[in-house]
Amino acid sequence: MQLYKLLFCCLVLSTITLKAQQPKKLSSSEIHNEIQKLNFLGNVLFVAAHPDDENTRLISYLANEVKAHTTYLSITRGDGGQNLIGTEFKELLGVLRTQELLAARNVDGGYQRFTRAVDFGFSKHPDETFDIWNKEEVLGDVVWTIRKLRPDVIINRFDHRTPGSTHGHHTGSAMLSVEAFDLAKDDTKYPEQLRYIQPWTPKRLFFNTSWWFYGSREKFEEADKSNLIGMDIGVFYPELGLSNNEIAAASRSQHLCQGFGQMGSRGSETEYVEFLKGSKPKNNNDIFEGINTTWTRVKGGKAIGEILNKIEADFNFTNPSVHIPELLQAYKLLQNVEDAFWRERKLKELENVILACSGIYLEAGTQQGSASPGSTVKVYLEAVNRSSINAKLNAISVNQNLANLNTSVSLDNNQKKTFEIEVSLPNNSKYTAPYWLLSKGSLGMYKVNDQELIGKPETPTALKAYFNLSINGTDLTIEKPVVYHFSKPDKGEQYEPFVVLPVATASFKDEVILFADKNPQEVTVFIKAGKDNLNGTIALNAPKGWLVSAAQDFTISQKGEAVSLQFTVTPTINESVGELTPVLTASGQTYNQSLTEIDYDHIPKQSVLLPAQSKVVRLDIKKEGENIGYIVGAGDNVPQSLTQIGYNVNILALENIENASDLAQFDGIVMGIRAYNVLNDLKFKQGILLEYVANGGTMIVQYNTANRWASQFENIAPYPITISRDRVTDENAAVRFLNPEHPVLNKPNKILQADFNNWIQERGLYFPNEWSKEFTPILGMNDTGEALTQGSLLVAKYGKGYYIYTGLSFFRELPAGVPGAYKLFANMLSLGKGKE
């Protein structure tokens, strides 16, 4: 049991080392596992739409039991999803979810790829999906992935034959995969790709089916399975001390922002794939049946296989270094293999095995997390040979010839060698922020001009060190990323990515600034220095008709320091919407980007560059009441938005709510999104909240996900209400006023049809579809071809107060500065106040 716990902790710790980018240090069992993978020459591509769509049980099984090189192609980066752990949405959420996918692959042994498609939110049909995505470009990215990775087997997570039955992205991902399966081999399709890669013909295509596609377990048991292959993915790995499903659960649990933490499971369990096209396997439990996955697959590979298979069979777990001579022999033979695809992939795998067996540890680090183009970076290098093999370090270079160091030293057993090298970053160095965000894209597509970047999960490392070694007289060059290496008193040794960033960045205190009247406001801009002794000037560009005070000079003494400057902004007299953008001049150049850092314990720190801007909104808005209590659910920016229009917003902790009198000071109580999904203790406070309403308060409950309550509630409302999966995804869908005379549409702001213009991503989600007679439905809306929904905004009088349930996506609209959304929310908070 203690060994099991130790191995499980090692598995969990391996996910933490991804954040740190700490070099992996393999145990003997892990080395043996890598040799087994080295001896399997077969590729799988698993295709789905979003982060967390992947089947981690199957990916882990294929990577660790079958030993196949298994890649998950996620069509999107999940930008349109929710966030249970922070306030990152849209592009920033896509960055977070990208890294969670990489953390998951670090656990289950798979690899990760993407296309340029944007997750624009829920889609009810692939036709709508392809209207927003550029289908030809996304299809080309799938073809590119197939040609680049050369999968023998492709597995779709979703069924391409059922459009309209599920998320349009889901079905769309399968439809793209089916089409690309045939296009990848056709050299007349996407011929521009052939400058870099060759056409490829996958052997077979599957659909990862399950009983729930059949409607029930009983129906699945009765179904014809002659076209299915079953795999027992509940296998146990003695070398790791874990079952496959325990690894898969740890992998799945990396999707923290989506709330997919899982417990591990043990025992036999069958996963099925349905054959779709290609060559059908004769064996009903082997997806690689009839495909040569041995070293004889490549010309010149037979001799390599004989060496490596013998090492696998006779592996010395006590002293893996005894295998170095044979490994080096295989290395020499592999260098002469003509097939560049397998040569390059297996050389990297073999190099890692050689280093692990020899105990050679190499590291390249800096004592600074970032630098700007044109600056100098000191890189600290370490090399140690922890075995008795004959090893020599000949030279070290950074980014090939950017900096060079002739070392020519012997690496004696367990004698650490350290070096320093100064690297001057070229003035034209590219920034190492997420590459897909550096150019402005469209609603459905990211813009990436470099073909060889397309599909990569993240921006390549800014600096790489190349260690030229001789091991037993055989030369090999090992590549290592240069990382930021430091320690913290409360966390110990830490590693973070080293990044190249602008010399100066600017950001606004508020992403949206509302002007409720014609009076000017002070707008705060932060400037952050990317180097010491930064001097410059900053001015603001404003929309036509708006006035901004004059440009200002600034001086920042230390790199990483930020200063704030205030500009006086005077709005137009009439309602209008526009953007403020900075013009920041420093070191002879102009900068206009903001820097956002995303830092969670389960992923590497991310430095994101986006255009610096603040949306300014001039609107005439009235409100009743001043003090609002806000109970945070899954996390959103609604409290900050309400502050923008003059409310005093107090974040309430559940443990501090002891009775209704505690809430009497508030003109309204607002529940954050998904509060009843994530706050288990709400069940103890529900009675107090409803008593507050009965005493004359106003309570607004924003959307919750159907059937995912944190605990059992008799009802989340004072009267019966049923939350469904109804939603209206078209943000431009017509809105019908069902009760046009109701106060919520009239006081203190008159709500007009124009107030539903310029909404983003969707109208709303998880609308109630049943409610008691005490509720008054306010709005009707529907997507094209669907029935009218009336549950997006429900109001009920309860005692002396008002209870409001709304599935409208205020959590998206308010931070986006949508004027009509602010007016409607102010009306909801004003119910029961002032003159009725």
Side-chain angles (χ1 to χ4, degrees):
M1 178 60 72
Q2 293 301 317
L3 176 62
Y4 164 80
K5 290 181 178 178
L6 176 63
L7 288 169
F8 186 76
C9 288
C10 290
L11 176 70
V12 174
L13 286 173
S14 73
T15 69
I16 298 174
T17 61
L18 173 69
K19 176 191 190 319
Q21 297 205 347
Q22 182 177 351
K24 287 187 176 182
K25 305 158 192 175
L26 302 180
S27 67
S28 292
S29 294
E30 290 169 324
I31 295 172
H32 187 243
N33 189 51
E34 292 304 307
I35 293 173
Q36 291 176 312
K37 292 182 178 181
L38 188 59
N39 282 328
F40 190 93
L41 280 69
N43 302 317
V44 177
L45 182 66
F46 192 91
V47 182
H50 310 105
D52 73 45
D53 282 346
E54 81 275 25
N55 185 339
T56 56
R57 298 178 306 176
L58 188 53
I59 289 174
S60 178
Y61 173 84
L62 293 171
N64 296 296
E65 174 67 12
V66 179
K67 311 299 181 185
H69 189 284
T70 306
T71 302
Y72 174 40
L73 173 61
S74 179
I75 302 297
T76 76
R77 295 178 184 266
D79 330 70
Q82 309 300 312
N83 187 356
L84 293 180
I85 63 173
T87 58
E88 293 85 4
F89 286 103
K90 300 193 301 185
E91 299 96 338
L92 296 179
L93 180 59
V95 174
L96 170 57
R97 297 187 73 185
T98 291
Q99 290 300 319
E100 288 188 336
L101 268 180
L102 289 171
R105 299 293 81 75
N106 191 57
V107 173
D108 60 37
Y111 299 85
Q112 189 60 51
R113 300 286 288 193
F114 295 93
T115 76
R116 290 169 291 172
V118 173
D119 176 5
F120 55 82
F122 191 88
S123 173
K124 294 182 177 178
H125 199 281
D127 289 348
E128 178 196 22
T129 297
F130 293 142
D131 282 344
I132 296 176
W133 290 348
N134 183 322
K135 183 188 175 184
E136 285 305 305
E137 288 188 0
V138 183
L139 180 60
D141 290 356
V142 180
V143 170
W144 167 261
T145 302
I146 294 172
R147 289 172 173 173
K148 188 82 173 175
L149 302 183
R150 292 168 56 171
D152 303 295
V153 175
I154 299 176
I155 302 174
N156 294 339
R157 184 66 179 117
F158 300 106
D159 191 349
H160 67 288
R161 298 161 295 194
T162 56
S165 63
T166 183
H167 198 322
H169 296 182
H170 291 171
T171 311
S173 70
M175 295 169 72
L176 290 167
S177 177
V178 171
E179 192 169 349
F181 180 88
D182 294 316
L183 295 181
K185 62 187 176 184
D186 188 343
D187 60 9
T188 67
K189 305 300 182 183
Y190 301 100
E192 69 280 1
Q193 298 179 1
L194 303 184
R195 292 175 49 201
Y196 310 94
I197 48 180
Q198 298 301 312
W200 177 251
T201 304
K203 302 298 188 298
R204 52 190 63 135
L205 176 68
F206 295 98
F207 158 49
N208 182 196
T209 190
S210 179
W211 65 263
W212 41 273
F213 283 102
Y214 289 76
S216 69
R217 294 183 183 275
E218 292 74 20
K219 291 181 180 179
F220 181 67
E221 290 299 322
E222 296 171 358
D224 177 14
K225 297 183 180 60
S226 60
N227 221 28
L228 303 186
I229 287 180
M231 292 166 278
D232 184 356
I233 47 86
V235 294
F236 175 68
Y237 305 122
E239 288 181 342
L240 302 178
L242 295 166
S243 72
N244 184 74
N245 285 344
E246 287 174 305
I247 295 175
S251 171
R252 184 76 168 165
S253 296
Q254 300 309 303
H255 296 295
L256 296 183
C257 75
Q258 301 303 294
F260 282 117
Q262 291 186 350
M263 294 179 63
S265 64
R266 290 145 294 279
S268 177
E269 188 172 348
T270 303
E271 192 75 43
Y272 291 93
V273 292
E274 177 188 353
F275 173 75
L276 296 179
K277 61 168 55 180
S279 61
K280 186 176 181 179
K282 297 177 182 178
N283 189 330
N284 65 356
N285 63 1
D286 183 5
I287 62 172
F288 279 97
E289 191 275 329
I291 300 172
N292 186 359
T293 58
T294 72
W295 276 102
T296 60
R297 178 174 191 160
V298 298
K299 184 179 179 181
K302 182 180 179 181
I304 300 170
E306 289 173 351
I307 296 170
L308 296 179
N309 280 296
K310 186 175 186 302
I311 294 173
E312 178 184 336
D314 301 330
F315 187 70
N316 189 321
F317 288 88
T318 304
N319 183 16
S321 66
V322 301
H323 300 294
I324 292 297
E326 291 81 7
L327 289 170
L328 292 173
Q329 183 183 355
Y331 185 79
K332 293 175 183 176
L333 293 173
L334 183 53
Q335 288 176 311
N336 296 322
V337 166
E338 295 178 6
D339 188 324
F341 175 83
W342 287 111
R343 182 182 68 243
E344 297 307 315
R345 173 179 289 179
K346 292 301 179 179
L347 275 174
K348 283 191 175 296
E349 292 179 12
L350 185 51
E351 286 169 356
N352 291 334
V353 169
I354 291 171
L355 284 187
C357 285
S358 65
I360 292 179
Y361 178 85
L362 305 171
E363 184 181 311
T366 73
Q367 294 182 353
Q368 59 189 86
S370 67
S372 57
S375 62
T376 299
V377 179
K378 184 173 289 187
V379 178
Y380 300 89
L381 304 146
E382 176 185 342
V384 58
N385 169 22
R386 295 170 292 184
S387 72
S388 59
I389 66 163
N390 181 18
K392 183 179 180 182
L393 178 61
N394 302 314
I396 306 172
S397 65
V398 177
N399 282 22
Q400 301 296 356
N401 295 316
L402 194 59
N404 297 282
L405 183 67
N406 292 319
T407 52
S408 195
V409 296
S410 295
L411 296 179
D412 299 326
N413 189 0
N414 218 27
Q415 300 301 305
K416 183 172 71 174
K417 304 293 183 180
T418 59
F419 311 90
E420 295 180 11
I421 186 170
E422 284 198 346
V423 179
S424 296
L425 297 176
N427 290 322
N428 63 348
S429 296
K430 294 181 178 179
Y431 301 138
T432 44
Y435 68 88
W436 61 95
L437 298 178
L438 294 178
S439 297
K440 185 174 178 59
S442 64
L443 173 64
M445 296 294 295
Y446 287 118
K447 183 179 180 182
V448 181
N449 296 319
D450 186 341
Q451 178 66 48
E452 293 195 282
L453 279 178
I454 291 174
K456 289 188 175 181
E458 55 187 345
T459 301
T461 304
L463 293 177
K464 297 177 182 178
Y466 296 85
F467 295 80
N468 179 258
L469 299 168
S470 293
I471 300 178
N472 283 2
T474 299
D475 293 337
L476 62 164
T477 299
I478 304 299
E479 174 188 306
K480 292 289 181 181
V482 175
V483 297
Y484 174 33
H485 189 183
F486 62 103
S487 66
K488 295 179 71 173
D490 59 336
K491 291 188 176 182
E493 188 175 36
Q494 299 288 299
Y495 289 77
E496 288 179 0
F498 170 78
V499 292
V500 177
L501 297 173
V503 71
T505 54
S507 61
F508 290 88
K509 178 183 177 182
D510 299 300
E511 293 184 5
V512 176
I513 306 172
L514 282 91
F515 293 75
D517 51 39
K518 62 182 180 180
N519 295 324
Q521 291 187 32
E522 293 297 306
V523 172
T524 301
V525 182
F526 298 103
I527 304 168
K528 188 172 184 179
K531 70 171 189 177
D532 292 338
N533 302 314
L534 180 70
N535 301 294
T537 302
I538 184 171
L540 295 186
N541 286 333
K544 184 178 180 180
W546 294 64
L547 300 177
V548 180
S549 56
Q552 302 181 48
D553 296 330
F554 64 87
T555 299
I556 305 177
S557 60
Q558 294 185 5
K559 174 184 174 182
E561 183 182 357
V563 298
S564 63
L565 299 175
Q566 281 71 43
F567 288 84
T568 302
V569 177
T570 305
T572 58
I573 296 176
N574 300 319
E575 290 195 357
S576 69
V577 177
E579 290 179 348
L580 294 176
T581 57
V583 180
L584 195 160
T585 304
S587 301
Q589 295 188 47
T590 300
Y591 301 92
N592 61 359
Q593 291 176 300
S594 67
L595 172 64
T596 301
E597 294 179 337
I598 302 174
D599 195 9
Y600 293 97
D601 286 341
H602 65 302
I603 65 168
K605 180 179 179 180
Q606 297 297 295
S607 300
V608 184
L609 294 175
L610 292 170
Q613 59 189 30
S614 179
K615 188 172 185 178
V616 286
V617 181
R618 167 72 174 95
L619 74 162
D620 291 314
I621 188 169
K622 304 177 183 67
K623 63 183 180 64
E624 301 286 352
E626 298 292 335
N627 298 315
I628 304 300
Y630 201 94
I631 298 175
V632 177
D636 56 59
N637 289 317
V638 172
Q640 297 92 315
S641 299
L642 295 179
T643 301
Q644 284 279 340
I645 54 175
Y647 285 107
N648 299 317
V649 181
N650 298 268
I651 303 299
L652 303 181
L654 290 180
E655 60 266 25
N656 295 330
I657 301 175
E658 297 182 355
N659 52 65
S661 62
D662 294 335
L663 306 176
Q665 60 183 303
F666 298 114
D667 299 301
I669 299 295
V670 181
M671 308 299 291
I673 61 173
R674 300 179 68 177
Y676 288 93
N677 296 142
V678 299
L679 300 178
N680 188 67
D681 286 349
L682 259 180
K683 63 184 177 182
F684 304 121
K685 309 297 181 178
Q686 182 72 354
I688 298 174
L689 292 168
L690 293 181
E691 183 181 349
Y692 158 80
V693 177
N695 291 340
T698 299
M699 179 178 174
I700 299 174
V701 178
Q702 297 182 85
Y703 98 93
N704 288 269
T705 305
N707 302 318
R708 291 188 183 177
W709 310 121
S711 61
Q712 292 299 317
F713 289 88
E714 289 186 7
N715 211 313
I716 64 172
Y719 309 113
I721 188 173
T722 302
I723 310 302
S724 73
R725 300 184 66 86
D726 290 350
R727 63 202 302 160
V728 175
T729 61
D730 182 359
E731 60 270 25
N732 299 309
V735 176
R736 184 184 304 177
F737 293 174
L738 301 176
N739 285 273
E741 302 305 316
H742 196 283
V744 80
L745 293 177
N746 293 279
K747 297 178 181 181
N749 304 285
K750 180 68 173 179
I751 303 300
L752 305 172
Q753 287 292 339
D755 290 313
F756 291 93
N757 293 343
N758 302 312
W759 284 47
I760 65 167
Q761 187 161 327
E762 61 196 352
R763 288 294 190 203
L765 62 171
Y766 293 103
F767 297 160
N769 63 352
E770 294 181 5
W771 51 85
S772 69
K773 60 182 177 57
E774 287 83 2
F775 283 101
T776 300
I778 305 298
L779 303 173
M781 58 189 69
N782 58 277
D783 284 319
T784 302
E786 295 188 358
L788 188 75
T789 66
Q790 299 185 26
S792 62
L793 178 57
L794 301 174
V795 181
K797 194 79 167 64
Y798 181 66
K800 299 177 182 179
Y802 287 91
Y803 177 97
I804 302 169
Y805 189 94
T806 178
L808 294 172
S809 59
F810 288 109
F811 71 103
R812 298 192 191 279
E813 312 312 322
L814 297 184
V818 177
Y822 275 94
K823 292 179 182 179
L824 182 55
F825 211 99
N827 280 13
M828 292 191 301
L829 286 171
S830 299
L831 272 178
K833 300 165 187 65
K835 293 181 180 181
E836 286 291 338

